Amino acid sequence: MRMLVDGDAGSTSDWDDRWNHIKKFLERSGPFMHPDFEPSTESLQFMLETCKILVIGAGGLGCELLKNLALSGFRNIHVVDMDNIDVSNLNRQFLFRAKDVGRPKADVAADFINSRVPGCCVIPYFKKIQDLDETFYRQFHIIVCGLDSIVARRWMNGMLLSLLVYEDGVLDPSSIIPLIDGGTEGFKGNARVILPGMTACIDCTLELYPPQINFPMCTIASMPRLPEHCIEYVRILQWPKEMPFGDDMALDGDDPEHIQWVYQKSLERAAEFSITGVTYRLTQGVVKRIIPAVASTNAAIAAACATEVFKIASSAYLPLNNYMVFNDVDGLYTYTFEAERKENCSACSQVPSDLHFSPSSKLQEVLDYLTESTSLQMKSPAITTTMDGKNKTLYLQSVASIEQRTRPNLTKTLKELGLADGQELAVADVTTPQTVLFKLCFTS
């Protein structure tokens, strides 16, 4: 057997027996094969020459995914990641070395795989997923997510739903791009297969994601006891008050200057209350809501995701149906179940969701519902509607000048705003690239 070592990438040709381990799955029958699959050489050729895979994220999961996919025969791989390499990544993100600190993860990961696996071509994009358009995403056969953000997952989910084509209300199967999503949290993880428009989407199962940890405001402001309390005080109260980088500059957890400012202010706050333990790394973790990663969990979940990519790309085996839970806190435990699609899902259903409020309800109550509802969990919803044939912005938070102009609407009742029973509200949010439609249903 030919072994690959660092620097051994002079030839991109396939040597004899290189893909024997893959051929055993694709060129002969077996008890676990898809009932409609006929063994042949065509599936391997599709994987090697045609199939185009997009990996989103080049962190702990992403590094494992890129390695697994490249060694499984996928040669046309693209990877998107917006982060630079930090020294704290090196203990588990094995495609990176100390010399790579400060460089884009996507670029370094692609260079490593391309130099290590002959014939594989990984194309990197040092961008946010939101910076790439529909044309970019439509080119892929399968998309795999190795993200650490629920907001990013939901956005990607929304993008794939927006690519679906319906003819007379019937979904065109050729417009479906399967989404394989993996997630890890310490010693726990999950892998799932999503067929947009057919199976449960990310938003259908928002309740499955753990709630974000928040500290009581009274504790943060008056009685801090932990270093995290000091950091949250600076993040929530001091940053919007002092606006150290300009009036319209939101706190960016990926900006070293922003984190350094929060870190210094948190140290000062901690000193006032004789609290120790505030570090730069903890500050970044609190601001970005980072949960410590475990390399073995990443490896297990990435292996499960790569297996599902192989099954879908080859059509040789039935894919996961459709959600797998992994836990190795006390021993090893896995559980698979079928997450059911919600008929009234705001993301993947074809009809506007109902919003039940009385005419005397204030717009602030609608806004609170959009952000606090377990089935919606929006972050900064912008609400618009159509009145007398014209588009009217009821509230928009992301632009300071418009927020100031529309803020008085929050204290007005829905009746005072001129809204009627059955009226449609269009809501834009960072959790989706699409505008979400709701139908206002007045209650007595």
Side-chain angles (χ1 to χ4, degrees), residues 88-149:
S88 63
N89 303 146
L90 302 182
N91 70 328
R92 65 194 181 281
Q93 297 174 23
F94 56 86
L95 301 183
F96 311 140
R97 302 292 182 266
K99 63 181 176 60
D100 301 320
V101 171
R103 291 185 60 200
K105 289 184 178 180
D107 292 351
V108 176
D111 289 345
F112 192 105
I113 296 293
N114 291 338
S115 66
R116 188 69 178 260
V117 184
C120 187
C121 178
V122 180
I123 300 175
Y125 302 87
F126 178 44
K127 294 176 178 287
K128 295 180 178 180
I129 56 173
Q130 294 86 349
D131 294 337
L132 299 161
D133 60 15
E134 291 184 359
T135 303
F136 172 80
Y137 290 109
R138 192 176 278 115
Q139 66 181 300
F140 298 102
H141 293 95
I142 302 172
I143 295 179
V144 199
C145 284
L147 293 162
D148 59 2
S149 163

Side-chain angles (χ1 to χ4, degrees), residues 228 231 253 259 279-291:
E228 289 87 349
I231 298 167
I259 297 298
T279 64
Y280 181 90
R281 186 173 180 181
L282 179 64
T283 301
Q284 189 176 43
V286 172
V287 171
K288 295 182 67 176
R289 294 294 196 262
I290 294 174
I291 297 170

Side-chain angles (χ1 to χ4, degrees), residues 182-200:
T184 64
E185 187 176 279
F187 289 98
K188 302 176 182 179
N190 70 274
R192 63 187 301 183
V193 174
I194 296 171
L195 303 178
M198 294 182 63
T199 63

Side-chain angles (χ1 to χ4, degrees), residues 73-93:
F74 294 99
R75 289 171 151 170
N76 195 347
I77 304 172
H78 297 234
V79 59
V80 180
D81 196 291
M82 60 176 282
D83 287 340
N84 290 309
I85 298 167
D86 185 79
V87 68
S88 63
N89 303 146
L90 302 182
N91 70 328
R92 65 194 181 281
Q93 297 174 23

Side-chain angles (χ1 to χ4, degrees), residues 164-176 197-198 350:
L164 297 177
V165 175
Y166 290 86
E167 296 180 2
D168 298 325
V170 179
L171 176 62
D172 180 0
S174 66
S175 67
I176 298 173
M198 294 182 63
Q350 294 300 298

Side-chain angles (χ1 to χ4, degrees), residues 176-253:
I176 298 173
I177 301 176
L179 175 65
I180 315 298
D181 179 55
T184 64
E185 187 176 279
F187 289 98
K188 302 176 182 179
N190 70 274
R192 63 187 301 183
V193 174
I194 296 171
L195 303 178
M198 294 182 63
T199 63
C201 75
I202 297 288
D203 279 42
C204 285
T205 55
L206 273 184
E207 295 90 343
L208 294 176
Y209 292 101
Q212 183 171 287
I213 297 174
N214 292 306
F215 301 106
M217 183 58 69
C218 58
T219 300
I220 295 172
S222 306
M223 299 177 293
R225 298 183 301 276
L226 301 172
E228 289 87 349
H229 294 162
C230 301
I231 298 167
E232 284 287 82
Y233 177 86
V234 176
R235 183 183 75 86
I236 296 174
L237 298 175
Q238 277 191 259
W239 180 279
K241 181 179 179 181
E242 300 187 22
M243 286 292 181
F245 294 89
D247 291 343
D248 295 326
M249 183 63 71
L251 176 57
D252 184 355

